Amino acid sequence: MGKRSDFERVERDFYPTPIEAVLPLVRHLPKNGLFAEPCAGDGRLRRHIEQLTELKGYWMTDIEPLCDSIGVGNALTDQIVGCDICITNPPWNRKILHPMIENLATQMPTWLLFDADWMHTKQSAPYQKWLEKVVSIGRVKWIEGSKSVGKDNCCWYLFNSSKIIGMPVKFYGRLP
């Protein structure tokens, strides 16, 4: 879960993306096209995006897929083909997250959902050059049926290695 959580961790840190976390992202997505979801888990994020937009999920993989429509893959090394954009809720572990940013953002524009604190750390500096947009979503209720939300604020981050170096990052605060 988060760095201040006393909850027992879910194996492999699988926390399905609730639709409430996707809603603020929708207005920033392309009108149509094909997207990749390389940390697809049970396919929930794909279903939300397809329900809310004209985008179609094309490349759905996970290291341990939780449904038959998702293939086995590794977001740290896979070369994704046939997609216009990548959208995923990755592991927040920096030893996994940072190489994932490098692999995915050098292939296509990539939206990743993780903690808001990341952008304020020194370890984020090497990846800031690819950061185009940040969409704040606040705290997320990761565990269905829970009365509590997570203890970390979250953001969607758009990484793109084609970004013109020096262009300012566009930040979008929470909407009412």
Side-chain angles (χ1 to χ4, degrees):
M1 205 67 205
K3 61 184 170 253
R4 292 174 296 280
S5 175
D6 56 359
F7 291 104
E8 189 173 322
R9 295 185 77 85
V10 172
E11 186 178 344
R12 284 187 44 250
D13 281 344
F14 173 67
Y15 295 93
T17 310
I19 197 164
E20 294 80 9
V22 180
L23 293 170
L25 176 65
V26 170
R27 69 185 182 113
H28 301 278
L29 295 175
K31 297 294 180 204
N32 53 45
L34 300 175
F35 72 93
E37 216 285 58
C39 302
D42 67 356
R44 198 166 314 193
L45 178 56
R46 174 191 187 170
R47 291 191 299 275
H48 296 328
I49 292 169
E50 288 181 342
Q51 173 189 345
L52 297 169
T53 73
E54 297 297 316
L55 290 167
K56 298 294 176 208
Y58 179 75
W59 182 284
M60 304 296 118
T61 58
D62 198 286
I63 57 170
E64 291 182 20
L66 297 176
C67 70
D68 292 339
S69 64
I70 297 169
V72 175
N74 186 336
L76 298 176
T77 58
D78 285 351
Q79 294 301 301
I80 298 170
V81 295
C83 293
D84 305 301
I85 192 165
C86 177
I87 309 166
T88 198
N89 175 4
W92 293 11
N93 176 308
R94 302 315 191 224
K95 289 180 182 179
I96 297 170
L97 178 64
H98 292 157
M100 191 178 296
I101 291 170
E102 287 184 38
N103 182 48
L104 299 174
T106 56
Q107 295 182 58
M108 68 191 70
T110 299
W111 283 102
L112 300 175
L113 173 61
F114 54 95
D115 61 289
D117 282 350
W118 175 86
M119 70 178 129
H120 303 287
T121 65
K122 288 181 182 178
Q123 64 183 331
S124 73
Y127 310 98
Q128 296 280 340
K129 63 186 175 194
W130 295 332
L131 189 57
E132 268 188 38
K133 286 184 181 182
V134 177
V135 178
S136 177
I137 63 170
R139 295 182 180 186
V140 176
K141 184 183 283 191
W142 294 107
I143 301 170
E144 277 185 49
S146 171
K147 294 178 184 174
S148 303
V149 295
K151 295 182 180 184
D152 292 297
N153 288 301
C154 301
C155 294
W156 282 101
Y157 296 91
L158 176 60
F159 295 93
N160 186 351
S161 67
S162 298
K163 175 188 174 196
I164 298 170
I165 303 299
M167 290 278 294
V169 175
K170 295 177 184 170
F171 178 81
Y172 297 87
R174 292 184 62 191
L175 295 175

